[in-house]
Amino acid sequence: MVFNAKCSKFFCILLLGLFVTSVAFGEIPNFFAGEARVFKLDPLYDGIIGGTGLALTGGMLLYDIFGESKEFDGIQPDLSSVNKLDRWAAQPYSNTIHLTGTITEVLAMASPVVLAATDIGEWGIFTVMYAESLLWANGLKELTKTLVFRERPYMYFDGAPEDRIENGDFARSFPSGHSTMAFNGAVFTSYVFSKYFPDSKWKVPVIATSMSLAVVTGVQRVLSGNHFITDVLAGALLGSFTGFMVPYLHTLPLKNENLSVNVTPVGLSVKYML
């Protein structure tokens, strides 16, 4: 269990690129302000959303470092003990499909790059929102994987990868992490793009492409023997929730701008403008 390295590298490169561009255009003051009046960053909202997401991901990373991994008892489980839906689709391990599924996951996670079509003043806002959604998605799926002991489908067949048995990953089937992160990126992109460009001719292609990448990722996780169907469905629901809910929460401060809540050294400051 580690924070998806591909995800973190992509986000860091994107953030650095946006920052350098903002410097070149002299837009530093507007980088986190926004101009389209669609989403808004707020100290209280983002302190809670970002802080909780960071605590989730950070906490699970610490558990991965100091906690004990599951150990295989050497007995191959019986596929007949699995429910009919999952048993029907269970597959032995395929490293090739595993790799292609990872590629589509990364592409789905990278789909928010299309939001660069917004004004440069909006880039800071959607970058922060996406970072928060990634932290929440990663933290929640890692927490669930740790709490739920479920052996991966490939454990029911011969040829299971030895390295994943040794590091305890064989027992972390529920939910599908690839599906969680792919659907988080796809739903985030679909929702945010639709809010920024409700009448754009590109709205349907953007939604169709990003969601297709997420669906293909989920299918490949089943075909590669890494997950059962219910693992993928749970990951899709979890990722869709974080991909939608985080940006949606950033529309709420705009709905009640007369009410201002700020964090101060001694507590909260609340102001209401009549």
Side-chain angles (χ1 to χ4, degrees):
M1 171 190 48
V2 294
F3 185 74
N4 194 312
K6 302 177 184 66
C7 157
S8 59
K9 289 180 180 178
F10 160 73
F11 172 67
C12 291
I13 292 172
L14 175 62
L15 181 58
L16 179 60
L18 293 177
F19 181 78
V20 171
T21 304
S22 67
V23 172
F25 283 88
E27 293 286 342
I28 288 288
N30 295 324
F31 189 66
F32 295 104
E35 300 169 353
R37 312 301 292 164
V38 177
F39 302 99
K40 181 181 179 181
L41 300 182
D42 179 89
L44 179 61
Y45 273 63
D46 289 288
I48 295 174
I49 298 170
T52 306
L54 185 61
L56 275 171
T57 288
M60 296 316 300
L61 182 59
L62 289 175
Y63 179 84
D64 181 52
I65 296 173
F66 299 106
E68 295 183 1
S69 61
K70 305 293 187 198
E71 294 185 3
F72 180 47
D73 59 11
I75 302 174
Q76 186 178 69
D78 184 4
L79 190 59
S80 64
S81 63
V82 179
N83 68 77
K84 291 183 178 180
L85 176 62
D86 286 332
R87 183 168 69 242
W88 166 76
Q91 299 290 325
Y93 182 72
S94 170
N95 187 59
T96 300
I97 302 178
H98 169 81
L99 292 176
T100 57
T102 299
I103 291 173
T104 54
E105 176 208 17
V106 173
L107 291 174
M109 291 176 64
S111 61
V113 74
V114 302
L115 298 174
T118 60
D119 293 335
I120 193 172
E122 300 298 312
W123 291 4
I125 290 181
F126 76 71
T127 300
V128 170
M129 292 193 302
Y130 190 45
E132 291 172 347
S133 74
L134 288 173
L135 289 171
W136 268 91
N138 183 76
L140 288 175
K141 61 100 171 172
E142 291 295 342
L143 176 62
T144 307
K145 281 177 175 289
T146 300
L147 295 176
V148 178
F149 178 92
R150 191 182 199 188
E151 293 179 310
R152 295 180 184 270
Y154 58 61
M155 295 300 294
Y156 295 82
F157 301 89
D158 294 331
E162 292 293 334
D163 58 331
R164 302 189 182 190
I165 295 177
E166 293 175 0
N167 64 21
D169 189 59
F170 75 96
R172 297 171 55 79
S173 187
F174 186 88
S176 166
H178 280 62
S179 300
T180 299
M181 304 308 289
F183 274 89
N184 176 78
V187 171
F188 180 92
T189 299
S190 300
Y191 176 67
V192 175
F193 189 91
S194 297
K195 293 291 286 185
Y196 275 126
F197 308 107
D199 302 317
S200 172
K201 65 179 181 180
W202 292 103
K203 183 171 74 171
V204 172
V206 166
I207 294 174
T209 301
S210 59
M211 293 303 295
S212 294
L213 286 169
V215 171
V216 170
T217 298
V219 171
Q220 291 183 104
R221 296 306 287 170
V222 174
L223 295 179
S224 66
N226 281 287
H227 289 289
F228 294 106
I229 289 180
T230 51
D231 299 335
V232 169
L233 292 177
L237 288 174
L238 178 57
S240 297
F241 171 76
T242 55
F244 167 78
M245 187 56 64
V246 169
Y248 171 74
L249 290 174
H250 287 82
T251 67
L252 300 182
L254 290 167
K255 295 180 179 180
N256 194 3
E257 291 196 324
N258 290 332
L259 178 63
S260 173
V261 182
N262 296 300
V263 180
T264 70
V266 293
L268 296 178
S269 171
V270 181
K271 297 180 181 179
Y272 186 80
M273 303 293 292
L274 297 175

